[in-house]
């Protein structure tokens, strides 16, 4: 079946502009995660959605970052007034979040470059 | 903040040799997972080991977990050039409000020379 997809693959923007990154999770997966990976680093958790529960936003680095998940499926990560330190690969993952099925399936990521 | 620390940061071996990577973490966990990443893009899940398990095998992969030392190791036997990638350990922290989010280590870059 189709995996997690993300768009765009690459995004170049100017400092101060807003950007939107999209994630389409695997159909039927109720849990969706956003992570950020800076060059040569591990992944940094940003935000988590599970069904209709309130999202876990504990990883968002500033109030310039926000995310939505519409209809329990597609998610959009928005970064307002981008800064150069926002440059990174943004990875989305989904899982069924059931015991025995905790594996997170990752999308290919969006590489963001802020000039 | 990152929970895991991986060691070594980089490893270079000849094809056919075994590769061992280690991961240490700080808090109690529900499970620990290993992922592989090629070319700095999407991650692929390799194996999951639960906190009540000590060892797990999957093909050429062997994972151990020592919760008393808060550490894990990943062994790749009979390595192949195609195993060249970055390997990350990720922990699912235990505790109230745990959402299943993963805390990743910094990764080990493995190069397997043909």
């Amino acid at each position: 079946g189709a995996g997690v997809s993300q768009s765009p693959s690459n995004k170049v923007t100017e400092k101060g502009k807003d950007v939107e990154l999209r994630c389409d999770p695997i159909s039927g997966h109720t849990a969706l995660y956003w992570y950020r990976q800076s060059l040569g680093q591990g992944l940094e958790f940003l935000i988590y959605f599970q069904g209709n529960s309130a999202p876990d936003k504990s990883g968002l680095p500033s109030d310039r970052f926000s995310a939505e998940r519409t209809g329990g499926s597609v998610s959009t990560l928005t970064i307002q007034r981008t800064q150069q330190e926002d440059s990174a690969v943004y990875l989305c993952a989904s899982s069924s979040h059931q015991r025995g099925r905790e594996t997170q399936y990752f999308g290919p990521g969006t590489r963001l470059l802020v000039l | 903040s990152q929970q895991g620390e991986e060691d070594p940061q980089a490893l270079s071996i000849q094809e056919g040799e075994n590769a061992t990577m280690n991961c240490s973490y700080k808090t109690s966990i529900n499970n620990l997972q290993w992922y592989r990443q090629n070319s700095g893009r999407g991650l692929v899940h390799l194996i999951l080991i639960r906190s009540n398990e000590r060892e797990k095998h999957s093909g050429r992969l062997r994972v151990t977990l020592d919760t008393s030392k808060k550490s894990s190791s990943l062994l790749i036997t009979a390595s192949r050039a195609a195993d060249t990638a970055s390997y990350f350990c990720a922990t699912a922290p235990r505790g109230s409000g745990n959402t299943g989010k993963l805390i990743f280590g910094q990764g080990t870059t493995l190069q397997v020379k043909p």
Side-chain angles (χ1 to χ4, degrees), chain A residues 9-10 33 35 37 40-45 48 56 58 89 91 97 99-100 102-104 106-111, chain B residues 1-2 31 33 35 37 39-45 48 50 52 88 97-107:
Chain A
S9 297
N10 295 280
Y33 307 80
Y35 296 88
Q37 184 177 31
Q41 300 295 310
L43 276 71
E44 173 189 13
F45 168 77
Y48 159 80
D56 176 358
S58 61
V89 176
L91 291 154
H97 199 55
R99 181 166 174 80
E102 298 96 332
T103 297
Q104 293 186 20
F106 282 80
T110 294
R111 191 180 303 275
Chain B
S1 62
Q2 301 299 325
N31 63 69
Q33 304 178 37
Y35 285 80
Q37 185 178 40
S39 304
R41 296 304 285 262
L43 278 77
V44 174
H45 180 262
L48 179 152
R50 299 189 186 285
N52 61 351
F88 294 91
N98 173 39
T99 57
K101 70 185 182 188
L102 295 176
I103 309 298
F104 281 80
Q106 298 299 302

Side-chain angles (χ1 to χ4, degrees), chain A residues 55-87:
Chain A
D56 176 358
K57 304 179 181 179
S58 61
L60 295 179
S62 78
D63 58 8
R64 296 187 295 104
F65 288 73
S66 63
E68 291 183 341
R69 188 178 185 191
T70 54
S73 181
V74 172
S75 177
T76 302
L77 176 69
T78 302
I79 309 174
Q80 296 178 310
R81 305 182 301 283
T82 53
Q83 304 295 311
Q84 289 182 332
E85 60 263 29
D86 299 335
S87 297

Side-chain angles (χ1 to χ4, degrees), chain B residues 2 6 14 17 23 28 43 53 63 80 82 98 110 112:
Chain B
Q2 301 299 325
E6 296 185 57
Q14 292 296 133
E17 293 180 339
C23 168
S28 296
L43 278 77
E53 297 176 311
V63 170
R80 305 167 182 169
N98 173 39
L110 173 66
V112 181

Side-chain angles (χ1 to χ4, degrees), chain B residues 82-96:
Chain B
D83 294 330
T84 295
S86 292
Y87 291 81
F88 294 91
C89 72
T91 52
R94 184 193 305 273
S96 62

Side-chain angles (χ1 to χ4, degrees), chain B residues 64-85:
Chain B
T64 62
L65 179 65
D66 187 335
T67 53
S68 66
K69 296 180 179 178
K70 292 186 167 59
S71 68
S72 173
S73 68
L74 171 67
L75 169 67
I76 304 174
T77 61
S79 63
R80 305 167 182 169
D83 294 330
T84 295

